Amino acid sequence: MVDPGGGAVCNGTLHNQSDHCHRKNCTRNGMVKEAQQNGNSNFYKPVVESFEEAPLHVMVFTYLGYGIGTLFGYLRDFLRNWGIEKCNAAIEREEQKDFVPLYQSFENFYTRNLYMRIRDNWNRPICSAPGALFDVMERVSDDYNWTFRFTGRIIKDVINMGSYNFLGLAAKYDESMKTVKDALETYGLGVGSTRHEMGTLDKHKELEDLVAKFLNVEAAMVFGMGFATNSMNIPALVGKGCLILSDELNHASLVLGARLSGATIRIFKHNNMQSLEKLLRDAVIYGQPRTRRAWKKILILVEGIYSMEGSIVRLPQIVALKKKYKAYLYVDEAHSIGSLGPTGRGVMEFFAMDPRDIDVFMGTFTKSFGASGGYIAGRKDLVDYLRAHSHSAAYATSMSPPIAEQIIRAMKLIMGLDGTTQGLQRVQQLAENTRYFRQRLSEMGFIIYGNEESPVVPLLLYMPAKVAAFARHLLKRKIGVVVVGFPATPLAEARARFCVSAAHTREMLDAVLEALDEMGDLLHVKYSRNRKSARPELYDETSFELED
Amino acid sequence: MATVAEQWVLVEMVQALYEAPAYHLILEGILILWIIRLLFSKTYKLQERSDLTVKEKEELIEEWQPEPLVPPVSKDHPALNYNIVSGPPSHNIVVNGKECINFASFNFLGLLDNPRLKAAALASLKKYGVGTCGPRGFYGTFDVHLDLEDRLAKFMKTEEAIIYSYGFATIASAIPAYSKRGDIVFVDKAACFAIQKGLQASRSDIKLFNHNDMDDLQRLLKEQEIEDQKNPRKARVTRRFIVVEGLYMNTGTICPLPELVKLKYRYKARIFLEESLSFGVLGEHGRGVTEHFGIDVRKKEEECAGFLVGSVEHLEKHQM
């Protein structure tokens, strides 16, 4: 009897094939053994994603905290208005006093009164490459975060848990970056022109062929900026009379692209297949609102890994739905390319699916490849159409040559075309680090969101004051973390978001985990109800009968 | 028993009600309720029910055919057979294997292959690597970014500056940051594509005036003033913007800045000046169209491809 998890049961004991090659580089013909097994892929594995809710008292205190902050905000605004307190915000110039004010004072209420208090946790300047360790410039504020000044000291060797450096390719110059240096010297700094004019270099052509080969699709096209890739190409694909079904938690670039296209947008609940199916059925059966004409096309917009939740899209179910209702699928793999899948090919390989099932692959090079820019890949007719009609190709400058060279180098490394297995090792190291980090954090009792295989780990903190204390204390211990609050997340769910990287060694992760353990006890953020028992000596007990 | 017509005396009737047997009263009650129901019930509907059956729904789903995701593009479309440039896009450029003089790239000051710039870029490559791996808020701010912003602000003689990573995105995200739904924007008809996208994303009211025609703009502003007087409360919260380019990408002409500044103070609108082409080109030191006309920069906000300069107040909000 074989169960789909890849193990075989023989005489009552489970032999799991994955255990043997867990830590070693078990490759055959260059491909990891795991990728060759049909039954061991994530297609069949049940999805383990958790979005645990916090205990009630935590939510009450969170809202209470915001309420008190708001009251004090009103008080301070009152004092500032009447001149009792000095107003540190910038004011309009004299000649323009009677112009309509640029911001309504209410729009800025949150910024002025709540965000300003903890503003020192964001926009922290660094002065080295954003690798696994980096240097943060120290800055202090004399007037409660309204202005900052640099003390001149640099905090060296801070462990970087915030940058999107999944494969550890963002590092200082070393000999392997020689090709980038050559490209810089040969081609110069930029291309002063758009793709349709003089902006297509032979480097771009080389890069596009390589991307197509990497993703196992027919063709690809690259653009200069990741955000702009979405916002300028979705309008080229859909227009008025089409329907866009987009996930609740899609990134701002997808939302902007959808809005600019002029199509009707409907939102389905995050990763919820029943909600999506209901919307699809209603769309196909009832057509456009009011006129009841049929929709021209239906496009489903999803992301590979959602950056604030750490959840992975349910790709097999979405592809099944898309085939049944004849819709088109657009997957934004900004975070998942290079970091998911046995060889780093992204969410498609993670679920071992056919690349022909997904219509539009989109991704960015900023996160795993250590460069900048975006790509769109898919069938040849799609890419040809985008070459001709994309707004970016016609109006925006193309990618600059040294960056293209960096991406070529990074991709060759991951694919193994440079003759080493370093790329594959990095991908496997990332997967190991992710599993270890997530497992230890949930053992400690923190509430962690997201899929257990995703390298983006959000740790929930809920209360705004704890968010600030968390980030500041950890910086003192030389660990740099990213905390996110409203408006990027819902009001009551502020969190700290860790990005595990292949460049993190086990020692670094242990140091971080130890610090987090202490922080958790200090700030009382270990809210999870799934903590391990406080009596570890009872783990191996087989029966709880009293011995007589 | 009376022999004449019985008198309907209330008391006797009530007495009779009490004395009647129970089944009689119940039957009478049911009959009365039935009559009331019949009086108030609706007539029969003769048309069919409008809900679809499950079978019909399945049939509809099967029959529906969407358009193909992309319409076919002809093989001779110029974009598919584009010119491939090998080598740096400097003054002599190698296109499709042939060496030509370059009149096509935006390389006004010839800095694309300047050795000093390349040396500086190489130094930064050695120190920082290639990418920033994160947005500005999450450890993506480098000391070189802050340095560049300081220098830009000093160069343009304004208080502060912000830089962006992509030229197209600068103006396309700056406009929606300041101008929201309900605000009014006066735009030149020959504005470039990035400005158009920014305006579309901002959902404000857009009023177009003829290219470089100040009389047309004044006419529109006067009309707006008349509208404002009708509804002063609304006018007090509607912001007004004028968006122009320093050097227009579509026509190559320069905007008449002195007249614009006069109009600005008269009608109380704010100017957004997009200087992607005129920065480094116009003016004695390359400060752009403001230096060209000798106007104090502090008199307006200014946008350029890649960075924003202006007074502190405006940029604070932007940084968030």
Side-chain angles (χ1 to χ4, degrees):
Chain A
M1 180 178 75
V2 177
D3 78 304
V9 176
C10 177
N11 292 336
T13 51
L14 182 71
H15 298 279
N16 203 339
Q17 285 146 332
S18 63
D19 281 338
H20 296 301
C21 329
H22 194 59
R23 291 206 180 247
K24 291 180 280 190
N25 246 347
C26 186
T27 58
R28 182 192 286 187
N29 294 338
M31 287 276 290
V32 181
K33 193 163 162 67
E34 199 179 39
Q36 290 175 339
Q37 300 288 358
N38 285 337
N40 204 7
S41 72
N42 292 298
F43 195 93
Y44 298 107
K45 272 199 213 148
V47 171
V48 181
E49 272 186 12
S50 68
F51 293 96
E52 194 183 331
E53 269 189 28
L56 184 61
H57 71 273
V58 171
M59 305 301 277
V60 169
F61 280 120
T62 310
Y63 284 117
L64 206 61
Y66 276 110
I68 295 179
T70 316
L71 282 176
F72 269 92
Y74 281 130
L75 176 66
R76 300 285 284 272
D77 273 347
F78 175 74
L79 293 176
R80 275 190 273 256
N81 259 341
W82 284 88
I84 302 172
E85 184 180 336
K86 185 166 75 99
C87 185
N88 276 325
I91 43 179
E92 191 77 69
R93 282 180 308 136
E94 275 307 317
E95 300 100 63
Q96 296 191 203
K97 261 277 175 345
D98 51 351
F99 278 41
V100 180
L102 203 53
Y103 319 114
Q104 299 292 18
S105 55
F106 187 70
E107 276 169 16
N108 274 18
F109 184 82
Y110 177 78
T111 317
R112 231 183 7 246
N113 296 310
L114 294 165
Y115 176 69
M116 271 301 167
R117 291 169 186 267
I118 50 177
R119 193 165 83 122
D120 58 317
N121 298 316
W122 288 278
N123 294 315
R124 286 185 180 155
I126 67 179
C127 52
S128 74
L133 295 171
F134 62 170
D135 304 332
V136 179
M137 290 170 73
E138 199 186 1
R139 57 181 187 171
V140 293
S141 171
D142 304 316
D143 49 358
Y144 300 105
N145 289 346
W146 285 94
T147 56
F148 291 107
R149 79 187 151 80
F150 294 107
T151 58
R153 273 191 313 173
I154 300 178
I155 310 176
K156 282 204 173 292
D157 289 336
V158 181
I159 300 181
N160 183 1
M161 297 299 293
S163 301
Y164 301 126
N165 186 13
F166 295 126
L167 292 177
L169 290 169
K172 265 169 52 156
Y173 183 83
D174 54 1
E175 267 321 299
S176 58
M177 287 169 87
K178 193 169 178 318
T179 44
V180 183
K181 178 161 165 293
D182 292 336
L184 178 62
E185 279 166 4
T186 329
Y187 286 93
L189 294 163
V191 188
S193 166
T194 68
R195 283 299 288 262
H196 280 182
E197 299 166 8
M198 289 291 147
T200 310
L201 304 173
D202 44 359
K203 271 265 167 275
H204 291 140
K205 191 138 179 16
E206 194 189 328
L207 175 58
E208 286 173 1
D209 290 337
L210 194 60
V211 170
K213 197 158 144 216
F214 182 73
L215 293 170
N216 205 4
V217 290
E218 288 174 25
M221 182 176 181
V222 299
F223 302 95
M225 182 180 171
F227 187 103
T229 310
N230 271 332
S231 54
M232 290 198 260
N233 288 310
I234 298 182
L237 290 175
V238 290
K240 257 178 114 69
C242 305
L243 176 65
I244 293 184
L245 297 174
S246 107
D247 191 293
E248 217 179 3
L249 299 173
N250 268 341
H251 189 252
S253 58
L254 287 166
V255 171
L256 184 62
R259 269 180 43 202
L260 285 177
S261 68
T264 315
I265 307 176
R266 295 209 180 133
I267 303 197
F268 63 92
K269 294 202 175 29
H270 178 58
N271 255 352
N272 187 332
M273 295 300 112
Q274 285 81 13
S275 167
L276 177 59
E277 176 155 25
K278 183 167 182 315
L279 283 179
L280 274 169
R281 282 185 79 90
D282 285 343
V284 175
I285 293 172
Y286 295 114
Q288 300 191 24
R290 290 187 299 135
T291 55
R292 297 281 192 214
R293 284 190 203 128
W295 292 105
K296 288 197 207 151
K297 312 179 213 178
I298 301 185
L299 185 67
I300 306 178
L301 295 180
V302 284
E303 289 189 35
I305 293 185
Y306 291 91
S307 57
M308 284 300 152
E309 313 285 314
S311 50
I312 300 183
V313 65
R314 308 263 169 94
L315 202 58
Q317 288 96 326
I318 292 196
V319 168
L321 277 177
K322 146 189 133 71
K323 282 184 179 159
K324 180 174 174 196
Y325 293 98
K326 300 188 215 90
Y328 300 113
L329 183 58
Y330 182 109
V331 179
D332 176 347
E333 292 201 76
H335 291 265
S336 55
I337 190 76
S339 53
L340 278 188
T343 55
R345 301 301 209 260
V347 74
M348 180 217 20
E349 200 194 17
F350 184 71
F351 287 108
M353 306 205 54
D354 191 356
R356 285 180 300 235
D357 284 338
I358 302 177
D359 299 294
V360 190
F361 289 86
M362 178 263 165
T364 59
F365 298 118
T366 334
K367 284 130 188 154
S368 304
F369 297 92
S372 76
Y375 67 87
I376 288 203
R379 298 217 318 267
K380 189 158 185 330
D381 47 359
L382 167 74
V383 177
D384 283 343
Y385 180 79
L386 282 178
R387 276 194 223 279
H389 290 107
S390 157
H391 301 163
S392 163
Y395 295 106
T397 49
S398 40
M399 196 187 264
S400 106
I403 296 187
E405 182 55 44
Q406 158 75 0
I407 302 171
I408 292 177
R409 171 194 151 244
M411 230 176 232
K412 283 191 177 155
L413 185 78
I414 298 177
M415 286 165 75
L417 291 177
D418 60 339
T420 66
T421 53
Q422 213 200 31
L424 207 52
Q425 276 173 3
R426 280 179 193 259
V427 176
Q428 286 174 339
Q429 179 71 29
L430 174 66
E432 245 184 75
N433 282 354
T434 308
R435 274 193 284 257
Y436 176 68
F437 196 68
R438 273 184 174 265
Q439 193 197 352
R440 286 286 303 272
L441 277 180
S442 41
E443 269 173 26
M444 283 184 202
F446 292 104
I447 295 187
I448 311 283
Y449 273 5
N451 196 309
E452 58 178 11
E453 311 253 3
S454 92
V456 174
V457 186
L459 190 156
L460 273 283
L461 295 169
Y462 298 105
M463 301 183 204
K466 290 194 185 178
V467 156
F470 194 80
R472 287 174 190 154
H473 274 279
L474 281 176
L475 187 62
K476 278 207 208 97
R477 287 162 191 260
K478 312 230 298 187
I479 299 174
V481 296
V482 154
V483 288
V484 210
F486 184 77
T489 62
L491 184 66
E493 291 177 19
R495 58 198 71 170
R497 189 186 67 177
F498 301 103
C499 292
V500 184
S501 158
H504 287 138
T505 59
R506 194 47 81 95
E507 292 81 32
M508 282 187 219
L509 288 181
D510 283 335
V512 174
L513 286 164
E514 217 181 281
L516 286 177
D517 205 3
E518 285 174 31
M519 276 286 99
D521 289 328
L522 177 69
L523 295 174
H524 296 288
V525 280
K526 294 188 179 176
Y527 296 125
S528 176
R529 282 172 260 223
N530 299 332
R531 296 169 69 157
K532 281 202 155 169
S533 155
R535 305 279 300 277
E537 63 269 14
L538 293 176
Y539 287 163
D540 296 323
E541 282 285 330
T542 46
S543 77
F544 287 92
E545 299 291 338
L546 293 173
E547 321 278 10
D548 275 328
Chain B
M1 217 147 89
T3 49
V4 295
E6 283 154 0
Q7 305 250 314
W8 287 63
V9 181
L10 191 62
V11 180
E12 280 184 10
M13 276 163 50
V14 174
Q15 230 177 6
L17 203 64
Y18 280 141
E19 286 166 7
Y23 70 87
H24 189 89
L25 288 175
I26 291 170
L27 191 60
E28 297 271 359
I30 290 174
L31 282 174
I32 291 174
L33 287 172
W34 189 258
I35 291 170
I36 293 173
R37 182 174 168 254
L38 280 178
L39 281 173
F40 285 113
S41 72
K42 292 197 183 137
T43 53
Y44 258 97
K45 265 197 283 213
L46 285 174
Q47 67 252 42
E48 294 152 15
R49 291 175 56 81
S50 59
D51 288 351
L52 298 168
T53 61
V54 177
K55 185 159 166 298
E56 281 166 353
K57 286 184 185 175
E58 295 296 327
E59 271 173 25
L60 277 173
I61 292 175
E62 289 242 355
E63 279 169 11
W64 179 66
Q65 286 296 336
E67 278 180 12
L69 181 59
V70 287
V73 180
S74 81
K75 292 252 181 302
D76 323 326
H77 197 285
L80 291 179
N81 311 317
Y82 35 65
N83 308 310
I84 301 197
V85 174
S86 21
S90 58
H91 303 295
N92 287 323
I93 191 173
V94 180
V95 180
N96 287 339
K98 268 194 337 202
E99 189 161 314
C100 316
I101 304 181
N102 188 2
F103 272 94
S105 317
F106 292 126
N107 191 8
F108 300 121
L109 297 175
L111 288 175
L112 272 182
D113 51 349
N114 185 315
R116 257 177 72 184
L117 285 183
K118 280 194 196 170
L122 213 53
S124 107
L125 173 70
K126 291 204 159 101
K127 186 170 176 205
Y128 298 108
V130 180
T132 54
C133 289
R136 286 291 289 263
F138 304 150
Y139 301 115
T141 312
F142 286 63
D143 47 351
V144 283
H145 289 148
L146 298 172
D147 203 16
L148 176 61
E149 286 177 356
D150 275 334
R151 284 199 196 184
L152 274 172
K154 282 207 192 69
F155 179 66
M156 299 295 295
K157 301 201 185 122
T158 58
E159 291 177 18
E160 273 195 20
I162 295 185
I163 52 177
Y164 280 75
S165 59
Y166 201 52
F168 190 97
T170 314
I171 188 73
S173 10
I175 294 183
Y178 293 111
S179 171
K180 305 276 194 298
R181 201 194 283 264
D183 295 335
I184 305 174
V185 182
F186 299 94
V187 177
D188 193 302
K189 275 193 181 150
C192 72
F193 190 73
I195 295 183
Q196 290 169 16
K197 286 290 138 186
L199 290 171
Q200 198 184 345
S202 75
R203 303 201 230 210
S204 321
D205 294 329
I206 302 171
K207 299 199 159 55
L208 299 164
F209 61 92
N210 292 329
H211 177 55
N212 269 353
D213 189 350
M214 291 299 109
D215 297 320
D216 201 23
L217 176 58
Q218 190 160 19
R219 177 185 60 88
L220 283 174
L221 285 166
K222 268 213 185 79
E223 279 172 16
Q224 184 58 38
E225 206 181 14
I226 297 174
E227 284 277 333
D228 286 343
Q229 277 159 359
K230 286 189 205 149
N231 192 348
R233 279 193 81 190
K234 186 163 166 232
R236 235 180 303 138
V237 292
T238 334
R239 298 178 271 259
R240 264 142 273 172
F241 298 99
I242 304 178
V243 178
V244 284
E245 292 185 43
L247 191 61
Y248 283 94
M249 201 180 294
N250 290 331
T251 60
T253 49
I254 305 179
C255 74
L257 202 52
E259 285 95 15
L260 274 170
V261 172
K262 282 202 207 90
L263 282 175
K264 163 189 155 138
Y265 281 111
R266 197 157 143 214
Y267 293 100
K268 314 228 185 320
R270 294 173 197 262
I271 300 187
F272 266 53
L273 186 62
E274 210 257 332
E275 292 211 86
S276 13
L277 294 186
S278 52
F279 182 73
V281 170
L282 293 178
E284 202 184 306
H285 296 281
R287 292 200 174 94
V289 78
T290 48
E291 207 183 19
H292 184 79
F293 286 112
I295 296 175
D296 189 1
V297 171
R298 281 180 300 117
K299 293 201 185 311
K300 53 176 189 30
E301 293 79 42
E302 191 167 315
E303 326 287 326
C304 303
F307 61 91
L308 275 171
V309 293
S311 59
V312 172
E313 178 208 355
H314 305 134
L315 292 171
E316 240 173 37
K317 161 107 193 261
H318 214 82
Q319 265 178 347
M320 211 191 133

